[in-house]
Amino acid sequence: GISDTSESSQSAVPGNAPASAAASTVPVLKADIIAAYVNAVNKLKATPDFTLVKTEDLKVTVDKMSPSSVQSIVSKVIDSNTDTEPVTYVFQNGIDAGSGMSPTQVIAPLGRNAALSESIVTNATAAPNPDGGYTVYISLGREVQTLSTPAPNYSTSMEVINPDDLGLPSMAKLDSYSITYDNSKIEAVIDKDGRITSMNHYIAVINSQGDGSLIVPVSLSGHGDCSDSYQITY
């Protein structure tokens, strides 16, 4: 009797194997989900041949500015520099011929490998997909970036706000600024081979303060958000 049941239960295993094998690759623990994501991003950065469509959507609102006469200039400049047109990169042997850039220069974090500490992650889940891969959802808490100090984890996992990218006039000079990030999200689809096929980074700037000069001394505060989406084909 006993040997029969063990045999019949063993014979049932092969039938279940594909489902359990796929399910077993889905990370469950917070640390494992973070590691799976970081490893997949760095694997993508090191992949020589693939096509990437990247779309950036940056929204910045200047809430307060003194003198107020400068606000319209700055708002116009910011609007003209927030481009939402998708850009396609075709990487061959690790270089996109059109831009001359490598995957690492285009995929956040720019110019470096990804890293992410568990301490900033407020929530991390992973859900299986029908193709045997899975989707990871990672939420990040609060961090501050200043002129001299990057936000420790945002800068190693996302494309953070760079005041230089806002294209302020050349005579503008920043003496100090701080940007507070919070409630930001990373979502990535990873296929059964551990490759990212799509991902989205959403960064929320809940507060930013700056002091500097634009011919006259200027101080401003604002908020905004930035969404970067990546679609990848191999």
Side-chain angles (χ1 to χ4, degrees):
I2 294 168
S3 64
D4 286 351
T5 44
S6 68
E7 272 175 41
S8 64
S9 67
Q10 275 186 320
S11 67
V13 168
N16 293 335
S20 60
S24 70
T25 63
V26 180
V28 176
L29 300 173
K30 184 176 173 180
D32 294 339
I33 292 168
I34 295 167
Y37 169 72
V38 167
N39 291 340
V41 172
N42 291 337
K43 180 177 177 179
L44 180 61
K45 285 173 173 277
T47 300
D49 304 308
F50 64 98
T51 298
L52 166 67
V53 179
K54 181 179 178 182
T55 309
E56 295 184 70
D57 188 3
L58 173 64
K59 297 186 184 73
V60 178
T61 303
V62 176
D63 298 319
K64 251 202 338 254
M65 190 157 204
S66 67
S68 55
S69 57
V70 187
Q71 182 152 351
S72 64
I73 301 172
V74 171
S75 296
K76 275 198 194 81
V77 168
I78 289 172
D79 286 345
S80 68
N81 282 282
T82 48
D83 189 9
T84 55
E85 285 298 304
V87 181
T88 301
Y89 300 90
V90 181
F91 296 106
Q92 292 180 313
N93 297 321
I95 293 289
D96 167 61
S99 64
M101 293 207 274
S102 70
T104 292
Q105 291 171 293
V106 175
I107 297 162
L110 304 183
R112 58 177 297 166
N113 266 3
L116 186 58
S117 156
E118 235 182 297
S119 59
I120 190 68
V121 176
T122 55
N123 194 31
T125 58
N129 293 332
D131 68 351
Y134 54 91
T135 303
V136 297
Y137 304 91
I138 297 172
S139 300
L140 306 188
R142 181 178 296 225
E143 269 187 356
V144 177
Q145 167 185 336
T146 67
L147 206 51
S148 55
T149 317
N153 285 283
Y154 277 75
S155 64
T156 64
S157 60
M158 311 269 248
E159 195 168 329
V160 288
I161 309 286
N162 181 345
D164 296 343
D165 296 340
L166 296 176
L168 293 171
S170 56
M171 67 271 200
K173 179 176 169 293
L174 269 179
D175 298 319
S176 71
Y177 81 88
S178 71
I179 296 176
T180 305
Y181 302 109
D182 202 357
N183 302 323
S184 301
K185 294 179 175 56
I186 293 172
E187 187 181 313
V189 178
I190 298 172
D191 71 9
K192 64 185 193 324
D193 301 315
R195 304 181 306 181
I196 290 181
T197 55
S198 73
M199 67 175 175
N200 190 58
H201 292 172
Y202 171 78
I203 296 191
V205 174
I206 58 165
N207 185 30
S208 64
Q209 307 277 341
D211 288 288
S213 57
L214 188 72
I215 305 176
V216 292
V218 171
S219 70
L220 65 92
S221 65
H223 68 280
D225 61 64
C226 181
S227 186
D228 288 344
S229 75
Y230 300 81
Q231 298 293 329
I232 296 116
T233 46
Y234 298 94

